[in-house]
Amino acid sequence: MSLPSDHEEALIARAKEDPEYFGELYDQYFPQIYRYVASRVRSQPLAEDITSEVFFKALRALPRYQHSGHPFSAWLYQIAVNAITDHYRSRRRAEDSLDEVPEPVDPTPAVDDEVANRMGAQAIWDLIEALPEQQRIAMSLKYGEDLKLAQIGVIMGKTEGAVKLLIFRGTASLRQHLLTSRDDGPEGNHG
Amino acid sequence: MAEFPSWLRRRNTPPDGVDPELWEILELDPSGRAQHLLGTADKIQAAVRSGPRPQPDPSYRAHLRASLMEEARLHTRARPPRRRRFGLALGTGMGLAGLAMLSLVLVSVVVLPPGARSVTVQASVQGNPRVPVTQAIQLSFNLPMVEASVVHGLKIDPALSFQARWPDPKTLVLAPRHDLVANVSYVVSIARYAAKAQSGATALSNIVIPFGTVPTSSTALGYPPSLVAVDRVAAATGAESLSYAPDGELLLLATGQVVDQGSQLPASPGSTSATPPAGAPSTAGALTAAPAGGVIYALTSPQAALAGNALGPVASPDSQNLAYWAPTTSGTATLEVVPIGGQGQLLSLASSGYAVPQAAWINDSELIYSSEGHLFEVNLDGQTLSVFPFVKLGANGYFSIAPDGQSLFSEPAGVPTVYNLSSGAAQPLPGLQGIPTWSPAGALLAYVAEQDGHQVIDLAGASSAQPHQLLVAPAGVGLSQLAYSPDGSYIAYVAETPGTGSQVGAVDVATGTSALLSTRTGMSQPVWSPFGSELSALESSPSGASDILSMQLSNPPQASSAGGLAARAIATASQLAQLQVTAGPTAPAAIAGLLAPNVSIPASQLLPGSFDRFYAVSSAPTSAGSESYQVDLELVQDATAASPAAYMQEQVTVALGGASPLIAALSQGQLTTLPTGPLVLNATTSTGTSGATTFLLQFDSDLDPVTVGPQSVTLTDGGQAVSNLQISYQPSTRQLTVTANQLPAGPLVLTVSAPLADVNHNPLSVPYQLSLPAVPAG
């Protein structure tokens, strides 16, 4: 949840002068930024490391921050998205050098859609992780954080139209994967 | 938009409840199948929101804040000093208090920062769905607060009577006068303007702190197995331990003599006064440092002494052989096997460097044992083989194999660890304390832990470090010697109460309900018979000897046979669930796991993303002997600043039998806002020997005692009001007792309604009614 715009603007202005006010911004936005980071990296120590990085970067860059009418949280999300991307890129480089075989996706189809929602949560997670990076970021911000397209556009540095297309393509691709997985699933699981 | 094709301009109205932006995205589908994509979008949303989101370390948030503040101050100091604008900005709603503060500022020359900061708070229980019922609630504000204002505007729902304490002006501790109610969603709220700081600042919105309590409590009404009869099997001096062979033979390890109904058993073959069995190492001249072995007796007819100088007896799966360790004078031990039936010779199979080693049968002719930090397999021919090299043992060589043979528990370097014996994977369980007990299915470990000054029984999944709290003992009561029933339904335990002594109790794994099985004291070593129909234990006597008792159990519990209510003497109802919950046969082990989040079936499969927690109300086979179970759940959405708490009933059919449980069907009710005011959590009825009928209602809230009386509680018998009701309320347990001094004739209806109210003056918004049918003639 964001602060009222005028209050937030005043708070940011004061935070540039007085560190105590940055603490107030931190109190306000820590839960949602940590939650977002944790949902993306799914590891407590890593989520803590990246969240720390986000707020330290925000603190250091705050004097240059210009309030543009978008919520302050959009800026923090932007830093978080970049930090997570950096993490995955560095990890991928390390994994590539080891020539590791990726874990196979093991979706578990179920008796009906509602059950599939539960049984296949892990499989859906795995499929999202396998999407192209930009689609993955756009989908996590829309589906996970319920952000507006305009905010996602600000975070990703893209137009609303481009964000729409990313989410659409990711959703359609994931649907295709789910259908394929179901067709391939063991019969016993169909109930 | 020129770059997009023309079909993009077609726009349909989004279905009800669908985010218009999301619909706009899905309508990009060129084949017009937005509705199909919506199903996928729902799944993604549910998966993303219900997916694993690890919680930060509790101290992490505060540490990061402190680090940020330190760095921020360094940055501020590094910058050239700026002229500071001093002033006082009056916060909204400050009014006269602000003027008063202004004069104070002028007199004492206190300089306030520009603008009043808003009040924020962190709570020790914030969002925690499993708060222990004994826990106090600590609120940490960012500013020194106006204490009276905060307490005046603070409310806890369900109503809770509490003491407010301010260790400092920024910290408020709410100490409930009685334990919290288990299995309940609480909300602490503070009205925005009541959350007022001494600076005049207020919160930006109402403060709402939701949390939930652990699903079970020792104070809950429950249906543990009841005791039908107690038999004295034998008496013994120096009784050490009891165990059952799989065929039901009761085995006793004792360092003294066993007396059976007045007659003394034959001399113990390995006792200090008897000749050791042939082949057994001599104990003559044993060093005092070596543990003393005892005699193993078979207590079921015919009673016999099976082996002497023995430790740690374990019967083979076919009950034909008994393995045990014979301590040697050098501080090591020899693994020996004797036939239980008396035919055949003693086998000396292996030796171990540990003083008290472990051994476990893996089939009828092979054992696993520990020696010198490693595990070995030995067969009855004495051939040994080093096995499971990945398993690390603790200094004493202790290990425990799960009954399914798939997992093994040990404590390498003092760290409780479960090994998967197939993959070699090690799962540390750092929260586990003491020696755990495996569930019969091998999926759970039960152990005693310490929490907030109370001893608790926790269950941990063999592959999960997240424990599930099953039972909280009252303060000062010690728990020990856990024993799983063979079907996994119950855990027997020994409760040591200061001034009373040790008693045997049992807790229902599915519901967490618990009770002591008898008033006998001096009890120890409870063990279940192979079929779970009886529980044997030792009872010490002042003479130093012990009685070996066999307690016959009955489940479901039998109602009092007095009076005509026997057939309907136990009825429970959940006002929240709006359904009757009967005390039927308890669920088997696999379902018991289902009732515990994070165990057996991942909670994410039972809990849709939009809900915060669930509770299992009941579970039962869909038909007799079926491997399919129907489980009733309550899904709970905690209150937020924008919406009140709500719940939904859900019925899940779980099919067992495969490699893992499978959700075979699922149906849901309507999402319903929790009614306000007190709720009846459950109720019991009973008939005493005098014929008096008693109703016991358990509430979730602290009731206002003034509202409890005939004006709010009525009872009709065959439609006629019953007069002379005795109505009492016990604040410490939140139990309302209603007693009618007569035998009922017709259908009974107990009604509780407003003006009954809680201590927050919220009246009962949904009347509670408990109906019992007429007693059948004869």
Side-chain angles (χ1 to χ4, degrees):
Chain A
M1 186 189 298
S2 295
L3 293 168
S5 178
D6 53 344
H7 179 83
E8 186 172 85
E9 196 174 349
L11 200 55
I12 294 164
R14 287 180 191 134
K16 291 181 178 181
E17 305 281 330
D18 185 337
E20 286 297 320
Y21 289 94
F22 185 81
E24 214 164 310
L25 288 168
Y26 170 82
D27 292 338
Q28 177 67 30
Y29 292 113
F30 172 86
Q32 71 194 82
I33 295 300
Y34 178 85
R35 190 189 63 212
Y36 173 68
V37 173
S39 76
R40 297 281 288 109
V41 301
R42 289 183 277 166
S43 149
Q44 181 201 335
L46 190 55
E48 291 179 359
D49 284 352
I50 293 178
T51 306
S52 299
E53 188 182 330
V54 170
F55 281 100
F56 273 107
K57 279 184 175 170
L59 175 66
R60 288 161 195 163
L62 191 66
R64 300 190 299 278
Y65 175 82
Q66 296 293 324
H67 190 66
S68 58
H70 294 292
F72 184 68
S73 59
W75 186 57
L76 293 175
Y77 273 116
Q78 192 175 27
I79 300 173
V81 163
N82 290 337
I84 293 166
T85 304
D86 288 348
H87 161 74
Y88 278 119
R89 281 182 183 152
S90 61
R91 195 183 71 168
R92 220 161 271 147
R93 274 197 298 275
E95 285 178 354
D96 286 348
S97 65
L98 293 172
D99 200 21
E100 282 192 357
V101 178
E103 286 286 316
V105 172
D106 180 23
T108 309
V111 288
D112 58 36
D113 280 348
E114 177 58 30
V115 175
N117 280 343
R118 318 280 184 84
M119 303 294 286
Q122 182 59 45
I124 291 172
W125 265 104
D126 292 340
L127 289 171
I128 292 172
E129 292 301 328
L131 290 173
E133 185 179 82
Q134 295 293 303
Q135 287 180 19
R136 192 170 66 229
I137 293 169
M139 287 175 72
S140 65
L141 291 170
K142 184 65 193 170
Y143 289 121
E145 303 301 305
D146 208 14
L147 297 186
K148 294 287 178 197
L149 292 171
Q151 284 174 270
I152 301 174
V154 170
I155 292 167
M156 297 184 68
K158 294 185 181 301
T159 64
E160 277 189 53
V163 172
K164 273 190 211 171
L165 272 176
L166 285 171
I167 297 171
F168 167 72
R169 285 178 182 147
T171 308
S173 163
L174 211 139
R175 176 176 169 75
Q176 192 56 44
H177 275 99
L178 283 175
L179 290 174
T180 309
S181 303
R182 177 172 299 193
D183 292 342
D184 294 343
E187 285 180 9
N189 282 345
H190 289 275
Chain B
M1 301 293 286
E3 69 274 27
F4 295 125
S6 58
W7 47 261
L8 234 173
R9 286 191 290 276
R10 292 201 304 272
R11 287 284 178 269
N12 293 319
T13 312
D16 283 349
V18 173
D19 173 10
E21 277 197 344
L22 179 61
W23 184 249
E24 213 175 291
I25 293 167
L26 302 181
E27 282 216 315
L28 292 177
D29 189 315
S31 52
R33 290 178 303 181
Q35 193 69 42
H36 292 163
L37 280 175
L38 187 58
T40 305
D42 284 344
K43 284 177 197 162
I44 298 171
Q45 206 152 35
V48 169
R49 292 184 182 176
S50 69
R53 293 194 179 195
Q55 294 300 305
D57 182 280
S59 59
Y60 161 70
R61 183 173 173 171
H63 284 154
L64 175 57
R65 192 184 201 282
S67 304
L68 286 164
M69 292 299 92
E70 185 57 34
E71 170 142 342
R73 286 185 199 102
L74 285 172
H75 277 260
T76 310
R77 279 199 292 272
R79 284 202 291 270
R82 298 171 67 113
R83 189 179 171 195
R84 217 167 164 197
R85 288 177 293 122
F86 295 119
L88 177 69
L90 299 182
T92 311
M94 207 170 157
L96 291 175
L99 291 174
M101 278 192 67
L102 178 60
S103 44
L104 185 67
V105 169
L106 291 174
V107 172
S108 57
V109 203
V110 172
V111 179
L112 293 179
R117 297 159 52 197
S118 56
V119 168
T120 58
V121 65
Q122 293 180 32
S124 57
V125 296
Q126 175 89 39
N128 182 350
R130 307 174 74 79
V131 172
V133 295
T134 53
Q135 187 163 323
I137 302 158
Q138 181 168 318
L139 307 182
S140 302
F141 295 91
N142 63 329
L143 298 170
M145 303 299 289
V146 179
E147 298 172 3
S149 171
V150 174
V151 174
H152 183 72
L154 189 148
K155 199 179 97 173
I156 301 179
D157 189 39
L160 190 67
S161 185
F162 60 84
Q163 282 183 314
R165 196 164 48 83
W166 290 87
D168 62 70
K170 292 165 78 172
T171 308
L172 170 59
V173 176
L174 306 172
R177 291 184 199 279
H178 316 295
D179 282 357
L180 301 168
V181 183
N183 199 11
V184 160
S185 313
Y186 280 96
V187 177
V188 178
S189 57
I190 308 173
R192 176 184 170 191
Y193 294 113
K196 191 159 69 176
Q198 292 173 12
S199 65
T202 61
L204 292 171
S205 59
N206 292 340
I207 291 171
V208 177
I209 300 161
F211 70 95
T213 48
V214 290
T216 58
S217 158
S218 57
T219 58
L221 296 173
Y223 307 99
S226 59
L227 189 62
V228 174
V230 178
D231 294 328
R232 178 177 168 275
V233 178
T237 54
E240 296 272 335
S241 68
L242 283 174
S243 60
Y244 273 99
D247 65 355
E249 178 68 73
L250 184 57
L251 304 171
L252 169 71
L253 176 68
T255 55
Q257 303 288 338
V258 168
V259 177
D260 170 34
Q261 297 172 342
S263 63
Q264 188 172 310
L265 282 183
S268 320
S271 66
T272 50
S273 61
T275 306
S282 167
T283 57
L287 298 174
T288 51
V295 181
I296 303 168
Y297 295 95
L299 297 180
T300 312
S301 183
Q303 293 187 341
L306 301 176
N309 185 37
L311 296 168
V314 277
S316 63
D318 61 3
S319 299
Q320 295 298 306
N321 292 303
L322 181 72
Y324 60 90
W325 290 96
T328 68
T329 54
S330 59
T332 61
T334 304
L335 179 61
E336 298 179 349
V337 171
V338 291
I340 293 179
Q343 302 295 319
Q345 66 180 79
L346 181 148
L347 303 173
S348 187
L349 299 181
S351 61
S352 171
Y354 294 117
V356 189
Q358 297 289 307
W361 291 90
I362 53 173
N363 55 45
D364 292 339
S365 59
E366 291 176 313
L367 293 123
I368 298 275
Y369 69 95
S370 58
S371 180
E372 314 290 347
H374 299 288
L375 290 173
F376 297 89
E377 184 182 301
V378 61
N379 62 21
L380 294 182
D381 296 328
Q383 295 169 322
T384 60
L385 178 70
S386 178
V387 290
F388 307 130
F390 50 83
V391 172
K392 306 276 186 275
L393 300 174
N396 59 4
Y398 177 81
F399 72 92
S400 170
I401 291 185
D404 64 355
Q406 299 298 306
S407 309
L408 179 144
F409 173 85
S410 69
E411 293 186 287
V415 179
T417 303
V418 169
Y419 291 92
N420 182 320
L421 294 180
S422 301
S423 67
Q427 169 71 52
L429 300 173
L432 192 150
Q433 299 170 25
I435 295 176
T437 304
W438 284 104
S439 67
L444 298 170
L445 281 161
Y447 59 96
V448 176
E450 191 84 23
Q451 187 171 47
D452 300 329
H454 290 251
Q455 294 222 312
V456 300
I457 295 177
D458 279 353
L459 299 179
S463 58
S464 162
Q466 183 65 41
H468 160 61
Q469 194 169 85
L470 182 64
L471 180 70
V472 181
V477 174
L479 298 173
S480 62
Q481 301 175 33
L482 308 186
Y484 250 108
S485 66
D487 67 352
S489 297
Y490 301 108
I491 296 174
Y493 58 84
V494 172
E496 177 83 34
T497 308
T500 301
S502 55
Q503 295 171 283
V504 171
V507 55
D508 183 333
V509 175
T511 63
T513 53
S514 169
L516 297 172
L517 293 178
S518 87
T519 55
R520 290 171 177 272
T521 58
M523 305 283 281
S524 64
Q525 296 282 334
V527 286
W528 295 88
S529 66
F531 303 107
S533 58
E534 63 183 39
L535 190 66
S536 292
L538 302 175
E539 183 184 36
S540 62
S541 68
S543 68
S546 295
D547 285 332
I548 295 96
L549 302 180
S550 177
M551 298 180 279
Q552 309 296 318
L553 302 176
S554 170
N555 181 56
Q558 300 299 302
S560 161
S561 58
L565 276 178
R568 60 186 195 194
I570 293 177
T572 67
S574 163
Q575 187 184 358
L576 174 63
Q578 298 289 304
L579 53 83
Q580 292 287 318
V581 184
T582 55
T586 51
I591 292 294
L594 185 148
L595 300 181
N598 303 320
V599 177
S600 285
I601 292 186
S604 60
Q605 289 180 18
L606 293 171
L607 189 65
S610 55
F611 288 87
D612 297 295
R613 75 185 80 124
F614 73 93
Y615 299 121
V617 176
S618 68
S619 69
T622 50
S623 60
S626 170
E627 287 201 325
S628 180
Y629 286 80
Q630 183 176 299
V631 183
D632 291 316
L633 303 167
E634 286 171 6
L635 311 175
V636 180
Q637 266 181 2
D638 286 329
T640 66
S643 61
Y647 76 98
M648 177 190 282
Q649 291 165 41
E650 183 178 79
Q651 204 167 65
V652 182
T653 304
V654 180
L656 306 181
S660 59
L662 178 72
I663 297 176
L666 179 149
S667 66
Q668 293 181 325
Q670 294 291 316
L671 184 67
T672 308
T673 302
L674 279 174
T676 58
L679 284 171
V680 177
L681 294 178
N682 54 21
T684 57
T685 66
S686 63
T687 303
T689 51
S690 64
T693 304
T694 300
F695 297 81
L696 200 58
L697 304 190
Q698 172 81 55
F699 282 86
D700 72 337
S701 315
D702 282 337
L703 300 183
D704 180 353
V706 175
T707 66
V708 178
Q711 73 277 25
S712 52
V713 180
T714 59
L715 180 68
T716 60
D717 182 3
Q720 299 294 312
V722 177
S723 57
N724 299 324
L725 288 180
Q726 293 172 27
I727 303 168
S728 62
Y729 173 65
Q730 178 56 253
S732 61
T733 57
R734 303 179 183 87
Q735 284 179 347
L736 175 69
T737 306
V738 181
T739 304
N741 292 317
Q742 64 184 77
L743 273 176
L748 282 177
V749 178
L750 177 75
T751 306
V752 182
S753 57
L756 188 113
D758 61 30
V759 290
N760 288 348
H761 311 297
N762 298 313
L764 192 80
S765 61
V766 179
Y768 176 80
Q769 207 161 60
L770 180 61
S771 303
L772 299 177
V775 180

